[in-house]
Amino acid sequence: MLIDTYGRVATDLRVSLTDRCNLRCTYCMPEEGLQWLAKPDLLTDDEIVRLIDIAVTSLGIEEVRFTGGEPLLRPGLVGVVERVTALEPRPVTSLTTNGIGLKRTAAALKEAGLDRVNVSLDTLRPDVFKTLTRRDRHRDVLDGLRAAQDAGLTPVKVNTVLMPGLNADEAPDLLAWAMEEGYELRFIEQMPLDAQHGWKREGMVTAGDILTALRTRFDLTPEGAEERGSAPAERWLVDGGPYRVGVIASVTRPFCAACDRTRLTADGQVRTCLFATEETDLRGALRSGAPDEEIARLWRQAMWGKKAGAGLDDPSFVQPDRPMSAIGG
C-alpha cells in the first residue's frame, strides 16, 4: 500500500513514457522545444513493465495512466500496454494523448487491452490550434478522436485548456460540439508547468470564468462530492443530463486532500505530485540489481513523505524545474 502521513492512499499511477512531443503548446514548452532526455536515461520497456508490476502486485495500484510528453511517440507502446493489461490483478488502463497519432494506433491499442483515452484539444478553430500548438495538425486530432471512438476506447475524454485572448470564448461551443460527438469534455485550469516559467495566476481563465461562460447557454447541475470521489474533475449535469461536463480547478479549487495519485517519470523517478520539487530515483535501484522488495520499499518511503498540498496558494510557491512534458500530466 502507498499511504502518506495524511492517510491518503495512492491507487492511481501516472506513467510518463517519453518527454518528447510533436506539438509545441505555448503553455507547455518553447517553440524550439526542449533538451530531451538521452535514450540511456529513459526507462526501457522491460523496466517500465517491471515497475508497474511492482506497483500493481505489491503496492495496491488499481489504475495506470500512460502519459508523456506524447506517449504515442513511444515505439514500444502497444507492447507495453499488452503486457500491463496481462498483469494480475489487471489494472484499469488509459492513455493521455494529443491525438495526432491515434488514427493509426487506436485499433491496435484497443486490441492490446487499453480501456480508454483522454485527448487534448483546446479549440475548434484550426487557425487558433496552429497558434496554440505551433503546428498545423488540427484535422489529425479530430481524426484521432473519431478513431478512438470507433475502436471502443470509451468514454473518450477531451481535455481543454482555455487561454485569454486565444480560445477563452470557446467554452460553450466546445461543450455543444463534444455533446454532439459523444465525447466527455473536461476543462483544465492552466497550471504553472511551462518550461518558460511564464505562467501568471492573474492571467489565467479560472473555473469560475468557465462555468459562467457555459451557463450562458446551458443549465448546469452539480453532480456532488459523493459522485466525484477522488477524481480531479468536478462534474456538472448539462441540461439535466445524462451528459456531464467536468472542470479540473487545480489552482483555484485544489483537490489535494483527496489525491490518490503517484507518478513515474520517463527516466524512472517517483514524484508524489505534479508540483513536487523532489524525486525518488527508482531507475538507479533497478539498474543496480535491487530486488522488487527494495524498490517497493523506496516507493512507499517516497509516498510517505507526500506533502499536504501543492501549495499554489502560497506566495513562496516555487515552480518545478521540470516542465509538464517531462513529468506526465
Side-chain angles (χ1 to χ4, degrees):
M1 180 182 294
L2 292 172
I3 189 169
D4 64 32
T5 55
Y6 299 92
R8 296 169 297 191
V9 178
T11 57
D12 185 334
L13 170 61
R14 308 296 170 96
V15 181
S16 174
L17 297 178
T18 178
D19 59 329
R20 296 174 184 263
C21 189
N22 42 11
L23 297 180
R24 296 292 181 269
C25 296
T26 56
Y27 51 79
C28 184
M29 68 172 73
E31 186 171 4
E32 65 274 13
L34 300 169
Q35 183 67 46
W36 308 123
L37 292 168
K39 188 173 182 179
D41 294 334
L42 293 170
L43 293 175
T44 66
D45 291 356
D46 287 344
E47 288 171 336
I48 290 170
V49 173
R50 182 182 170 196
L51 288 174
I52 296 175
D53 189 353
I54 293 169
V56 169
T57 60
S58 301
L59 298 173
I61 290 299
E62 300 171 357
E63 300 181 37
V64 176
R65 170 87 61 86
F66 297 105
T67 70
E70 173 45 51
L72 296 184
L73 296 179
R74 177 90 187 195
L77 172 62
V78 173
V80 169
V81 171
E82 188 171 32
R83 293 167 67 184
V84 169
T85 56
L87 294 174
E88 292 291 343
R90 182 196 187 281
V92 175
T93 58
S94 59
L95 179 141
T96 296
T97 172
N98 62 31
I100 288 176
L102 265 181
K103 183 178 180 180
R104 69 175 185 275
T105 57
L109 288 168
K110 180 63 177 180
E111 186 175 350
L114 190 72
D115 293 306
R116 63 171 190 81
V117 294
N118 286 26
V119 179
S120 299
L121 180 64
D122 300 324
T123 178
L124 298 176
R125 305 192 295 248
D127 58 323
V128 176
F129 182 91
K130 187 174 181 180
T131 298
L132 276 167
T133 67
R134 306 183 178 104
R135 297 292 186 272
D136 190 11
R137 306 296 298 272
H138 191 256
R139 171 46 56 185
D140 293 321
V141 180
L142 296 180
D143 289 346
L145 280 161
R146 178 50 52 196
Q149 189 87 300
D150 291 345
L153 293 170
T154 55
V156 174
K157 296 183 179 181
V158 176
N159 294 339
T160 297
V161 176
L162 297 180
M163 303 283 288
L166 288 171
N167 61 339
D169 61 328
E170 288 194 66
D173 290 339
L174 281 159
L175 180 52
W177 164 80
M179 291 171 65
E180 182 178 349
E181 297 294 331
Y183 306 138
E184 184 175 324
L185 182 62
R186 306 191 313 171
F187 292 98
I188 304 175
E189 287 183 338
Q190 184 195 1
M191 294 178 283
L193 291 168
D194 58 309
Q196 312 92 293
H197 290 199
W199 177 86
K200 287 182 172 49
R201 183 181 180 120
E202 60 271 18
M204 62 177 285
V205 180
T206 68
D209 298 330
I210 294 164
L211 293 170
T212 296
L214 292 177
R215 286 184 171 119
T216 63
R217 196 182 304 180
F218 304 97
D219 180 55
L220 303 181
T221 306
E223 187 177 57
E226 187 173 324
E227 288 289 331
R228 181 184 184 184
S230 61
E234 293 181 78
R235 298 199 304 180
W236 284 261
L237 290 171
V238 181
D239 293 337
Y243 193 86
R244 292 167 172 80
V245 63
V247 179
I248 299 177
S250 303
V251 178
T252 62
R253 302 182 187 182
F255 40 86
C256 302
C259 180
D260 65 350
R261 286 159 214 68
T262 182
R263 300 175 182 275
L264 183 65
T265 68
D267 56 349
Q269 311 299 306
V270 167
R271 295 181 67 92
T272 59
C273 174
L274 268 176
F275 305 102
T277 55
E278 297 176 351
E279 299 176 331
T280 298
D281 180 23
L282 297 187
R283 183 190 64 196
L286 277 175
R287 295 182 180 178
S288 66
D292 289 0
E293 294 78 10
E294 172 62 13
I295 292 168
R297 185 192 68 79
L298 289 171
W299 208 327
R300 288 191 192 96
Q301 184 177 49
M303 293 305 294
W304 183 251
K306 184 172 182 173
K307 295 181 179 179
L312 297 184
D313 55 350
D314 188 334
S316 64
F317 170 75
V318 177
Q319 181 171 328
D321 289 335
R322 288 189 189 231
M324 185 160 51
S325 64
I327 301 169

